[in-house]
Amino acid sequence: MSPNDNSKSSNAHWGGRFTGGPADIMEKINASIAFDRRLFLQDIAGSRAHADMLVAQDILTPEDGKAINEGLELISQEILAGNFSFSEKLEDIHMNIESRLKELIGEPAGRLHTARSRNDQVATDFRLWVRDSLDDIDKLLCKLQSVLIDNSEKYADLIMPGYTHLQTAQPITFGHHLLSYVEMFGRDRGRFSDCRKRLNESPLGAGALAGTTYPIDRQHTAKSLGFDRPMVNSLDAVSDRDFALEFLSSAAITMTHISRFSEEIILWCSDSFGFIELSDSFTTGSSMMPQKRNPDAAELSRAKSGRVFGNLMTLLSVMKALPLAYSKDMQEDKEPVFDSMDSLLLSLNAIIGMVDDLKPIPEAMYMAAQKGYPTATDLADWLVTSVGLPFREAHKVTGKIVKAAYDKNLSLEDFPLTEMQSIDRRITDDVISVLSIESSISRRTSEGGTAPENVLASAAIARKRYL
Ligand code: ARG
């Protein structure tokens, strides 16, 4: 058959003015059923709301409405049971369902599409799908915050090195570190919830682009589908995909958090750090090196961020030069969103599992926290508060002390007081009390600081705020 063969019959849903059928390649590039079948529940819900409204407005008879509803219920059961046969010839989920409805109930099926276009239909279905997904994501993010908060309380005073530039900076507690992610995921929830608020308007009733001449009631369908209100402008209603872009950009930011956390888990379980252990449940072996325990779930969660960033770029590129209103380009909106949702759910579940599973190795964290002069800032602060030096000068004096201690391969705590005094004679033995990492931590009680008492208080506040 040549690629331009049109000997087939025309499409039953829109082929009135056609004499021939589409070329194979036309059918292939046009079909979205392979992926948009995921919208079936939303499509059926949208059709039911539309049919009920048509009946309430005397556009359809109650008998037709009843037959449509019963047929759609049957179709929903068939799809859920895996007994529905999807056809590429019928392009998409909307026409697959309508065709089956025709087989089941006959003529009334043909009245369902009164005062509706696939343009407002797909916009409605997709909004409903993204809305359901946002609710699932929120539940998972909340669960993740919950395991993080539990662990932050458990490890409120577990000392570890804090880094900047991945160089030892100041000691912190593991609980404090975990709570920083509670905040990030809290902001993520805020972004998804903003997206949900803006998304929750109904495109249904916009028709193909210009509205309809039938006396429809858009408030009715908006209400029955749980939307806050109908979208104001019919052109905007069928051509807007901001909600998908907002979903993708929020998902991309969440994936950066997941990826950073994954990266830290990978570092922490490396032999060089050895700060935590993951159990057999969250590690894999190597086929060659028998000693290996690899943190594959963390690596894959880190990597999946790339797909989600790419998906955001895909949809931005699809949308950026489309004239109003609907163009078939917009059929390409679904796969990036579906793939991002799948990646996000997998990664979130994996991170929740790993946070629950990980076991800190306190000795290793403590040993690492002692390296690299982590209490140098405490010494400088002591010179400010106890000797009265300006901070810049205190910084300079401390730098000299650190260098002298480093040259002798000694920690600040082990560096003799007399030697410190030979660098600055105003130093007294009172300084010793601020040089240990324990004191460094317990004295950092400023709002949002790492002191264990702060961590416990912050965990309690987070529990109230987020869970
Ligand atoms: N499958 C289509 C999509 O996802 C449905 C809308 C088709 N509309 C049209 N005018 N051809 O965008």
Side-chain angles (χ1 to χ4, degrees), residues 352-370:
I352 290 168
M354 285 186 281
V355 174
D356 208 31
D357 182 79
L358 64 83
K359 203 170 101 345
I361 318 285
E363 311 74 48
M365 287 185 177
Y366 191 82
M367 244 161 64
Q370 279 180 312

Side-chain angles (χ1 to χ4, degrees), residues 230-255:
M231 289 181 77
V232 167
N233 181 295
S234 63
L235 283 177
D236 179 49
V238 293
S239 50
D240 169 54
R241 292 295 182 272
D242 292 359
F243 64 95
L245 289 170
E246 273 195 72
F247 167 79
L248 287 174
S249 59
S250 306
I253 296 174
T254 301
M255 287 306 296

Side-chain angles (χ1 to χ4, degrees), residues 331-347:
Q331 179 163 284
E332 291 288 312
D333 60 357
K334 290 167 205 69
E335 284 173 293
V337 169
F338 291 156
D339 182 70
S340 297
M341 179 63 185
D342 293 343
S343 304
L344 193 54
L345 288 188
L346 264 177
S347 312

Side-chain angles (χ1 to χ4, degrees), residues 14 30-33 35-36 39 90-95 117-123 126 208 241 326-334:
W14 46 249
N30 210 23
S32 54
I33 189 63
F35 50 88
D36 70 12
L39 300 175
L90 293 167
E91 285 183 35
D92 55 26
I93 187 63
H94 324 295
M95 298 207 290
S117 153
R118 272 187 298 157
N119 296 352
D120 58 342
Q121 188 177 0
V122 72
F126 200 26
R241 292 295 182 272
Y326 178 85
S327 296
K328 199 59 175 265
D329 308 52
M330 287 161 74
Q331 179 163 284
E332 291 288 312
D333 60 357
K334 290 167 205 69

Side-chain angles (χ1 to χ4, degrees), residues 236-436:
D236 179 49
V238 293
S239 50
D240 169 54
R241 292 295 182 272
D242 292 359
F243 64 95
L245 289 170
E246 273 195 72
F247 167 79
L248 287 174
S249 59
S250 306
I253 296 174
T254 301
M255 287 306 296
T256 65
H257 296 151
I258 289 176
S259 182
R260 292 182 80 171
F261 197 19
S262 300
E263 168 71 7
E264 297 205 304
I265 290 175
I266 293 160
L267 284 172
W268 292 341
C269 7
S270 69
D271 290 316
S272 313
F273 280 73
F275 289 180
I276 62 166
E277 241 170 45
L278 287 175
S279 78
D280 292 357
S281 313
F282 281 94
T283 44
T284 61
S286 150
S287 56
M288 186 188 198
M289 300 167 285
Q291 84 282 14
K292 293 288 283 239
R293 288 167 64 84
N294 299 325
D296 290 25
E299 291 169 83
L300 287 163
S301 302
R302 180 176 59 182
K304 281 187 189 294
S305 57
R307 304 170 70 115
V308 178
F309 303 165
N311 289 333
L312 170 61
M313 206 43 69
T314 298
L315 191 55
L316 284 169
S317 314
V318 166
M319 297 304 298
K320 77 164 180 60
L322 291 186
L324 301 188
Y326 178 85
S327 296
K328 199 59 175 265
D329 308 52
M330 287 161 74
Q331 179 163 284
E332 291 288 312
D333 60 357
K334 290 167 205 69
E335 284 173 293
V337 169
F338 291 156
D339 182 70
S340 297
M341 179 63 185
D342 293 343
S343 304
L344 193 54
L345 288 188
L346 264 177
S347 312
L348 278 173
N349 277 310
I351 290 281
I352 290 168
M354 285 186 281
V355 174
D356 208 31
D357 182 79
L358 64 83
K359 203 170 101 345
I361 318 285
E363 311 74 48
M365 287 185 177
Y366 191 82
M367 244 161 64
Q370 279 180 312
K371 283 188 210 149
Y373 301 91
T375 58
T377 315
D378 299 83
L379 171 54
D381 290 343
W382 183 87
L383 288 167
V384 170
T385 46
S386 299
V387 180
L389 299 189
F391 182 75
R392 286 286 167 236
E393 194 187 336
H395 187 283
K396 210 179 277 168
V397 172
T398 305
K400 283 187 190 154
I401 295 174
V402 167
K403 181 172 186 320
Y406 179 82
D407 289 344
K408 298 211 151 135
N409 201 15
L410 290 172
S411 71
L412 280 185
E413 264 186 290
D414 295 333
F415 192 56
L417 180 63
T418 48
E419 302 228 14
M420 282 197 209
Q421 287 166 332
S422 72
I423 293 171
D424 193 305
R425 60 184 169 73
R426 291 167 290 186
I427 296 175
T428 66
D429 65 352
D430 180 49
V431 75
I432 293 164
S433 68
V434 303
L435 296 180
S436 74

Side-chain angles (χ1 to χ4, degrees), residues 27-76:
E27 222 162 66
K28 212 171 157 99
I29 196 170
N30 210 23
S32 54
I33 189 63
F35 50 88
D36 70 12
R37 63 177 69 183
R38 285 177 74 160
L39 300 175
F40 79 94
L41 281 177
Q42 291 75 16
D43 193 71
I44 288 171
S47 288
R48 291 182 127 181
H50 182 66
D52 289 348
M53 181 277 292
L54 292 177
V55 172
Q57 296 298 102
D58 284 332
I59 301 168
L60 279 196
T61 63
E63 296 70 45
D64 283 348
K66 187 163 176 288
I68 288 170
N69 263 299
E70 286 170 1
L72 288 172
E73 173 56 31
L74 218 71
I75 292 172
S76 163

Side-chain angles (χ1 to χ4, degrees), residues 152-160 172-175 441 452 455:
S152 72
E153 282 170 340
K154 202 159 149 195
Y155 303 120
D157 56 4
L158 177 56
I159 294 177
M160 71 180 289
I172 55 169
T173 70
F174 192 48
I441 277 171
V455 173

Side-chain angles (χ1 to χ4, degrees), residues 199-213:
L199 162 157
N200 206 28
E201 294 186 343
S202 174
L204 199 56
L209 76 165
T212 171
T213 55

